[in-house]
């Protein structure tokens, strides 16, 4: 995490529909592996504890209770691990069922974010409380939570869901205006022709507009049924550039890792007058991670101002020549004088 770099992983653990015990074991194994390899933020798919394709099984209380117990197991497994995990699960808040993302860090549940664009057949999409009870403890609840790292204040994490990327006014943009530099996006969109290109396009355009990074974790092939197909298409994107991604169906888990530069993102916001960060209704939840040296796997361009694309130079020359032509016309020059220096 030194010099602003944070290692992030988007992962689709091997899953079985409605087999909470099996899925939890795979998630816990992923947490341990990430901690061992220096990953600081792990993003898992939407509803991954039970599977996004459970359908009417979501109405079975036994399934929801098993998911709640699984969250406690995952929380306990993260104790002493220097990373923050975002995991998807269905949870009751009172008598209402929500499609949730649970933030866990070093043995603590930080908060719970409901999906307000969820399938209304199974889940509620509005809420009137800012707390949720898991086990015997109350935790922050709401879609306007920003998780801020105390040891690196530039690392502020917001949570979104796959549907938010395609919304005209998504919660991700509001969270970025509240300071979030990384959006953990839990996704369970099924795979159809053209879905890969659309997800890449939205990830690049939203991260560029919001001056942020996205870690998108999508449901994997283990959740496929006769009705829907999932493909483990995971993406890590920063300021309009895809740093890493797993091609659909390329692997069962879509293991995608890269390092985001939160210092660079903060700088881009500072110099871009179009980015109007300001006071919003978001609530901040603090957590802490140990600042350690980060081994970089992403490509860092040694010559950032020299492009490998020859057409770029043609465009530069065109821009400069048109500007010079306009200047000659405006100054009523009859001839151009070329000065040579050096």
């Amino acid at each position: 995490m030194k010099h602003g770099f944070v290692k992030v992983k988007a992962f689709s653990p091997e899953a079985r529909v409605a087999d909470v015990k099996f899925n939890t074991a795979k998630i816990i194994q992923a947490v341990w592996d990430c901690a061992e390899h220096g990953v600081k933020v792990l993003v898992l798919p939407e509803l991954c504890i039970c599977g996004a394709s459970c359908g009417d099984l979501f109405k079975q209380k036994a399934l929801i209770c098993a998911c709640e117990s699984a969250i406690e197991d995952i929380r306990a497994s993260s104790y002493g691990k220097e990373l923050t995990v975002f995991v998807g699960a269905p949870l009751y808040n009172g008598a209402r069922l929500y499609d949730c993302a649970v933030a866990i860090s070093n043995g603590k549940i930080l908060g719970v974010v409901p999906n307000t664009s969820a399938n209304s057949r199974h889940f509620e999409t509005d809420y009137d409380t800012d707390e949720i009870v898991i086990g015997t403890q109350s935790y922050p609840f709401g879609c306007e939570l920003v998780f801020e790292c105390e040891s690196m204040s530039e690392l502020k994490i917001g949570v979104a869901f796959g549907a938010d990327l395609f919304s005209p006014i998504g919660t991700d943009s509001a969270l970025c205006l509240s300071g979030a530099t990384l959006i953990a996006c839990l996704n369970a969109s099924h795979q159809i022709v053209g879905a890969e290109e659309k997800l890449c396009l939205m990830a690049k355009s939203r991260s560029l507009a919001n001056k942020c990074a996205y870690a998108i974790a999508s449901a994997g092939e283990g959740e496929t049924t006769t009705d829907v197909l999932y493909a483990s298409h995971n993406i890590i994107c920063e300021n309009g550039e895809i740093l890493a991604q797993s091609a659909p169906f390329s692997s069962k888990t879509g293991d995608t890792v890269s390092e985001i530069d939160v210092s660079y993102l903060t700088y881009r916001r500072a110099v871009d007058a179009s980015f109007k960060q300001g006071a919003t209704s978001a609530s901040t939840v603090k957590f802490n991670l140990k600042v350690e040296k980060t081994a970089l796997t992403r490509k860092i361009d040694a010559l950032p101002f020299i492009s490998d694309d020859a057409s770029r130079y043609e465009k530069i020359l065109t821009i400069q020549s048109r500007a010079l032509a306009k200047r000659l016309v405006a100054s009523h020059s009859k001839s151009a004088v070329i000065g040579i220096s050096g």
Side-chain angles (χ1 to χ4, degrees):
M1 289 175 63
K2 289 186 177 180
H3 310 298
F5 288 103
V6 181
K7 188 177 288 293
V8 177
K9 181 171 184 174
F11 185 69
S12 306
E14 187 179 351
R16 295 174 183 170
V17 178
D19 191 341
V20 175
K21 185 176 180 179
F22 176 86
N23 299 342
T24 302
K26 294 296 182 181
I27 290 170
I28 290 174
Q29 184 61 56
V31 170
W32 291 345
D33 290 344
C34 287
E36 183 178 347
H37 291 91
V39 173
K40 295 300 181 182
V41 180
L42 170 62
V43 183
L44 300 169
E46 183 179 350
L47 297 168
C48 62
I49 288 181
C50 60
S53 50
C54 282
D56 289 338
L57 290 176
F58 285 124
K59 299 300 183 182
Q60 298 296 318
K61 190 173 182 179
L63 179 69
I64 309 305
C65 290
C67 291
E68 186 173 316
S69 298
I71 290 172
E72 286 295 323
D73 293 339
I74 296 167
R75 178 200 60 76
S77 74
S78 72
Y79 183 78
K81 309 292 192 299
E82 290 292 331
L83 83 161
T84 300
V85 183
F86 294 88
V87 58
L91 291 173
Y92 277 113
N93 194 348
R96 308 176 76 182
L97 182 62
Y98 292 91
D99 171 4
C100 297
V102 183
I104 300 171
S105 184
N106 198 3
K108 298 179 181 179
I109 295 176
L110 302 178
V112 178
V113 180
N115 182 0
T116 55
S117 302
N119 185 341
S120 58
R121 176 185 172 190
H122 304 300
F123 301 105
E124 300 287 343
T125 57
D126 63 329
Y127 57 94
D128 55 7
T129 179
D130 58 2
E131 287 189 342
I132 186 172
V133 176
I134 299 177
T136 59
Q137 299 292 320
S138 295
Y139 302 100
F141 180 81
C143 61
E144 296 179 329
L145 297 180
V146 174
F147 303 93
E148 180 178 345
C149 181
E150 293 183 300
S151 56
M152 180 184 282
S153 60
E154 293 169 321
L155 176 58
K156 298 178 182 179
I157 309 172
V159 175
F161 295 85
D164 292 322
L165 292 177
F166 298 90
S167 174
I169 305 177
T171 56
D172 53 338
S173 296
L175 291 167
C176 288
L177 291 174
S178 299
T181 49
L182 169 63
I183 299 296
C185 183
L186 288 69
N187 184 34
S189 300
H190 56 275
Q191 192 71 19
I192 58 175
V193 175
E196 176 185 1
E197 293 80 4
K198 289 180 180 178
L199 188 60
C200 289
L201 176 62
M202 296 310 297
K204 290 193 289 185
S205 61
R206 297 294 277 243
S207 66
L208 181 62
N210 291 325
K211 305 291 183 294
C212 70
Y214 280 79
I216 304 172
S218 301
E221 291 185 57
E223 300 186 40
T224 295
T225 66
T226 54
D227 298 317
V228 289
L229 181 69
Y230 298 101
S232 303
H233 184 200
N234 300 333
I235 300 173
I236 296 176
C237 188
E238 176 191 277
N239 197 42
E241 178 185 357
I242 292 180
L243 302 179
Q245 70 170 314
S246 60
F249 309 111
S250 60
S251 70
K252 288 185 178 181
T253 59
D255 199 340
T256 305
V257 183
S258 191
E259 301 77 36
I260 63 168
D261 188 350
V262 292
S263 293
Y264 170 70
L265 294 171
T266 303
Y267 164 76
R268 291 304 312 166
R269 291 179 175 184
V271 300
D272 191 338
S274 66
F275 189 85
K276 303 294 184 181
Q277 181 172 326
T280 66
S281 57
S283 300
T284 300
V285 179
K286 303 279 189 176
F287 69 98
N288 197 32
L289 294 173
K290 185 178 179 181
V291 177
E292 300 173 315
K293 184 178 180 180
T294 302
L296 298 182
T297 58
R298 63 181 285 180
K299 179 182 178 182
I300 303 295
D301 198 341
L303 302 171
F305 302 109
I306 301 178
S307 174
D308 295 330
D309 184 2
S311 66
R312 185 178 180 87
Y313 300 112
E314 184 68 29
K315 293 174 183 177
I316 292 172
L317 181 59
T318 300
I319 291 170
Q320 290 181 323
S321 61
R322 294 299 174 87
L324 177 59
K326 181 63 177 178
R327 185 176 180 183
L328 292 172
V329 171
S331 61
H332 304 288
S333 299
K334 295 182 178 180
S335 61
V337 179
I338 300 176
I340 301 175
S341 175

